Amino acid sequence: ETGVTQSPTHLIKTRGQQVTLRCSSQSGHNTVSWYQQALGQGPQFIFQYYREEENGRGNFPPRFSGLQFPNYSSELNVNALELDDSALYLCASSRRQGSGELFFGEGSRLTVL
Amino acid sequence: AQSVTQLGSHVSVSEGALVLLRCNYSSSVPPYLFWYVQYPNQGLQLLLKYTSAATLVKGINGFEAEFKKSETSFHLTKPSAHMSDAAEYFCAVSLYSGGGADGLTFGKGTHLIIQP
């Protein structure tokens, strides 16, 4: 059983650019969620996808958007990058939405200069 | 809205000593509570989960946590610390009972240091 994999592991962007982060869910998991973890902080919920539709969102602006594909893989897109977007972005999948039993990837470290 | 407060950003214990990591929650409805662990350069891993079935919850690696409604607490304990327990520990809360969609609200984390 493969775990949650994320790519890229590290990337550097400049302010105003756009970025796409990718995630492959654990086998058999139909729900994927994304979290932002700033340095020294706990993860913050960005949004959740279930059956290819966003069905839950945290306190993040619309420039944070996502997709879930039929194979349950997912993308996180961030437009108009700001310096404060520098963080570790974590993808998590689960067998059942709302269970809280999340399987996390190792994250994508984004640095915005 | 729900929230979680973890007391102590760093906790240091000797190998073999009791581990106690503190978590207090705030929620307007009976919550689901979780402890996750994050080892260096790894993703978060679920340690245990409280869903109102039993107030004492046992998790992996010898950890357990007790839900105390009167104290709004969900402290994590382990009787005897091992060097491999050194990691970042996060307490989290969710309002959902399995049918909805929402994220977990995490605390800021407690860094557990094990002294040899």
Side-chain angles (χ1 to χ4, degrees):
Chain A
E1 182 177 76
T2 55
V4 177
T5 58
Q6 294 187 239
S7 63
T9 55
H10 294 82
L11 70 166
I12 300 173
K13 293 285 187 178
T14 56
R15 197 169 47 181
Q17 285 189 313
Q18 179 265 344
V19 68
T20 298
L21 307 178
R22 295 179 175 82
C23 171
S24 292
S25 300
Q26 185 154 327
S27 177
H29 289 190
N30 59 15
T31 303
V32 65
S33 51
W34 286 88
Y35 288 79
Q36 180 195 67
Q37 186 178 17
L39 205 60
Q41 302 294 317
Q44 279 196 290
F45 175 63
I46 303 175
F47 45 55
Q48 176 177 289
Y49 277 80
Y50 173 68
R51 292 184 176 180
E52 302 177 51
E53 290 195 5
E54 181 184 305
N55 68 346
R57 191 176 186 94
N59 189 27
F60 280 81
R63 60 189 185 85
F64 285 77
S65 63
L67 286 172
Q68 186 184 29
F69 300 100
N71 65 355
Y72 304 131
S73 65
S74 176
E75 286 183 356
L76 165 65
N77 298 288
V78 187
N79 293 321
L81 285 167
E82 301 176 359
L83 297 180
D84 285 347
D85 295 333
S86 295
L88 181 68
Y89 288 85
L90 297 166
C91 172
S93 68
S94 59
R95 277 194 197 89
R96 183 170 59 91
Q97 64 168 336
S99 69
E101 296 177 21
L102 306 180
F103 291 77
F104 283 85
E106 294 183 4
S108 293
R109 173 76 63 187
L110 171 66
T111 301
V112 182
L113 302 176
Chain B
Q2 67 274 23
S3 66
V4 163
T5 301
Q6 291 185 241
L7 300 176
S9 59
H10 290 77
V11 170
S12 179
V13 302
S14 299
E15 190 173 18
L18 170 72
V19 174
L20 170 61
L21 304 182
R22 300 178 186 274
C23 172
N24 288 90
Y25 70 91
S26 172
S27 175
S28 56
V29 298
Y32 277 12
L33 293 161
F34 308 82
W35 277 99
Y36 277 82
V37 61
Q38 187 175 32
Y39 297 103
N41 300 314
Q42 294 187 27
L44 280 76
Q45 180 182 6
L46 179 65
L47 272 179
L48 49 79
K49 169 184 177 180
Y50 165 76
T51 60
S52 78
T55 57
L56 184 62
V57 182
K58 294 188 183 299
I60 62 172
N61 302 338
F63 284 93
E64 62 182 36
E66 186 173 9
F67 173 72
K68 291 187 177 181
K69 184 178 179 180
S70 61
E71 299 177 8
T72 62
S73 68
F74 190 58
H75 301 332
L76 182 70
T77 60
K78 182 174 180 178
S80 177
H82 191 272
M83 294 300 291
S84 61
D85 295 327
E88 192 81 17
Y89 291 79
F90 294 95
C91 182
V93 62
S94 170
L95 295 182
Y96 278 86
S97 58
D102 196 8
L104 299 182
T105 299
F106 285 87
K108 292 186 176 182
T110 297
H111 186 63
L112 177 62
I113 301 162
I114 311 297
Q115 305 278 7

